[in-house]
């Protein structure tokens, strides 16, 4: 048993899809979330910049006594998970491995699509992981640079002509490739599940990186006897690097719960 908190971070709000699931499946855990809202999006940046930002994000979270950290960001996980694991003496879990594992298990025709940020797709991390798990699976990747800004603008609902037009264009090559499983390799994308599901059709399974990474954290803690004591009442603290009113407003949509007046702003450049 380990009562200490789990740290979770993302470039912005997407990682809250993982927090929501963590809170559902492990209600006794304390969670500390950091969203780097002053520097989002990361997905169009160089791997050096992504590593620099991720180090600062994790350094801030480690100002708390954490038992584990979840990188709830596809972009950071695919570009610098290994470095962050090497530099930290607590378990650091990313989203790529658990997400790809689920896709490999689910695909029947061995044709899997990946949508993610440009930096995630260019890193080749999802593809490498799939080759490791099942070399017979063919992966078709598509970067979707407009998705994160649109989601953070609240433009993710079916019927919104902007998101539907953009999504149709991004998803066309994956429809043409005949994938039966689609990895949502960015933690912002679960908010687009309805829009994407409608375009891809019912026969295509959508894999949610936030959700799969939350299960991976639980597996890890269980295996290491590090779950919170059962009687503990869990909590979540939220930090952002830009105006918290904006963060709280959008966070409520990601979390399906109101967090008004609970988030704190920090200066991430000092970490
Ligand atoms: N949620 C982040 C991810 O999973 C978004 C990346 C970005 O900021 O562009 O990749």
């Amino acid at each position: 048993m380990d009562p200490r908190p789990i740290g979770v971070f993302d470039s912005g709000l997407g990682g809250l899809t993982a927090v929501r699931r963590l809170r559902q499946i492990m209600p006794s855990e304390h969670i500390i979330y950091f969203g780097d809202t002053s520097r989002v999006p990361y997905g169009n940046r160089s791997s050096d910049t992504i590593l620099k930002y991720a180090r600062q994000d994790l350094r801030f979270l480690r100002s708390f006594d954490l038992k584990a950290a979840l990188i709830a960001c596809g972009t950071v996980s695919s570009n610098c998970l290994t470095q962050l694991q090497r530099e930290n003496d607590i378990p650091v879990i990313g989203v790529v491995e658990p997400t790809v594992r689920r896709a490999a298990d689910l695909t029947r025709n061995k044709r899997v699509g990946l949508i993610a940020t440009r930096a995630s797709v260019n890193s080749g991390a999802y593809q490498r992981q799939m080759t490791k798990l099942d070399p017979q699976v063919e992966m078709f990747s598509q970067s979707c640079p407009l998705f994160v800004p649109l989601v953070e603008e609240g433009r993710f609902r079916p019927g919104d002509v902007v998101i539907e037009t953009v999504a149709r264009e991004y998803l066309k090559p994956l429809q043409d490739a005949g994938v039966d499983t689609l990895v949502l390799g960015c933690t912002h994308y679960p908010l687009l599940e309805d829009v994407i599901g409608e375009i891809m059709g019912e026969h295509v399974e959508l894999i949610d990186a936030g959700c799969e990474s939350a299960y991976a954290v639980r597996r890890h803690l269980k295996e290491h006897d590090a779950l919170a004591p059962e009687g503990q009442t869990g909590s979540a603290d939220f930090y952002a690097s830009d105006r918290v009113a904006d963060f709280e407003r959008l966070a409520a949509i990601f979390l399906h719960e109101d967090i008004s007046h609970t988030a704190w702003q920090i200066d991430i450049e000092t970490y």
Side-chain angles (χ1 to χ4, degrees), residues 10-15 39-44 72-76 78 95 116-118 120 126 145 148-149 152 185-189 209:
D10 178 39
S11 55
L13 289 129
R39 303 188 295 195
V40 67
Y42 285 8
N44 301 324
C73 176
T75 307
V76 173
S78 52
V95 306
T117 65
R118 199 175 272 140
S120 296
Y126 282 92
V148 169
E152 297 237 338
C186 167
T187 49
H188 280 70
Y189 297 178

Side-chain angles (χ1 to χ4, degrees), residues 141-266:
S141 305
Q142 174 69 44
S143 60
C144 308
L146 290 173
F147 275 178
V148 169
L150 282 171
V151 167
E152 297 237 338
E153 274 299 317
R155 308 292 297 267
F156 53 80
R157 294 190 178 85
D160 182 316
V161 66
V162 175
I163 191 64
E164 286 191 344
T165 308
V166 171
R168 235 175 254 119
E169 182 180 315
Y170 284 153
L171 296 172
K172 176 84 171 56
L174 304 175
Q175 289 177 293
D176 292 347
V179 302
D180 72 353
T181 307
L182 178 62
V183 171
L184 312 186
C186 167
T187 49
H188 280 70
Y189 297 178
L191 266 76
L192 294 169
E193 227 162 34
D194 291 343
V195 170
I196 294 170
E198 225 163 75
I199 295 170
M200 296 305 290
E202 269 173 13
H203 59 287
V204 176
E205 293 277 359
L206 305 184
I207 317 280
D208 172 337
C211 174
E212 296 308 325
S213 63
Y215 285 117
V217 171
R218 183 171 67 176
R219 272 195 303 277
H220 182 93
L221 295 179
K222 216 174 195 173
E223 277 164 25
H224 293 81
D225 194 22
L227 288 167
E230 253 167 51
Q232 178 167 293
T233 308
S235 63
D237 295 331
F238 299 98
Y239 296 85
S241 53
D242 209 333
R243 239 192 337 248
V244 287
D246 298 339
F247 175 85
E248 289 170 348
R249 187 174 41 80
L250 276 171
I253 299 168
F254 280 81
L255 290 167
H256 300 203
E257 87 184 84
D258 183 14
I259 62 155
S260 305
H261 311 298
T262 63
W264 298 84
Q265 184 172 350
I266 59 131

Side-chain angles (χ1 to χ4, degrees), residues 69-128:
L70 170 61
I71 304 175
C73 176
T75 307
V76 173
S77 301
S78 52
N79 277 272
C80 45
L81 175 68
T82 322
Q83 284 99 315
L84 296 173
Q85 285 174 328
R86 222 181 290 131
E87 293 167 5
N88 284 277
D89 56 1
I90 55 167
V92 178
I93 295 161
V95 306
V96 176
E97 195 273 342
T99 311
V100 172
R101 186 174 292 281
R102 180 86 180 129
D105 284 349
L106 281 184
T107 181
R108 299 165 305 278
N109 70 2
K110 306 258 180 211
R111 297 169 82 78
V112 171
L114 164 71
I115 52 171
T117 65
R118 199 175 272 140
S120 296
V121 169
N122 289 349
S123 74
Y126 282 92
Q127 179 72 62
R128 274 195 303 281

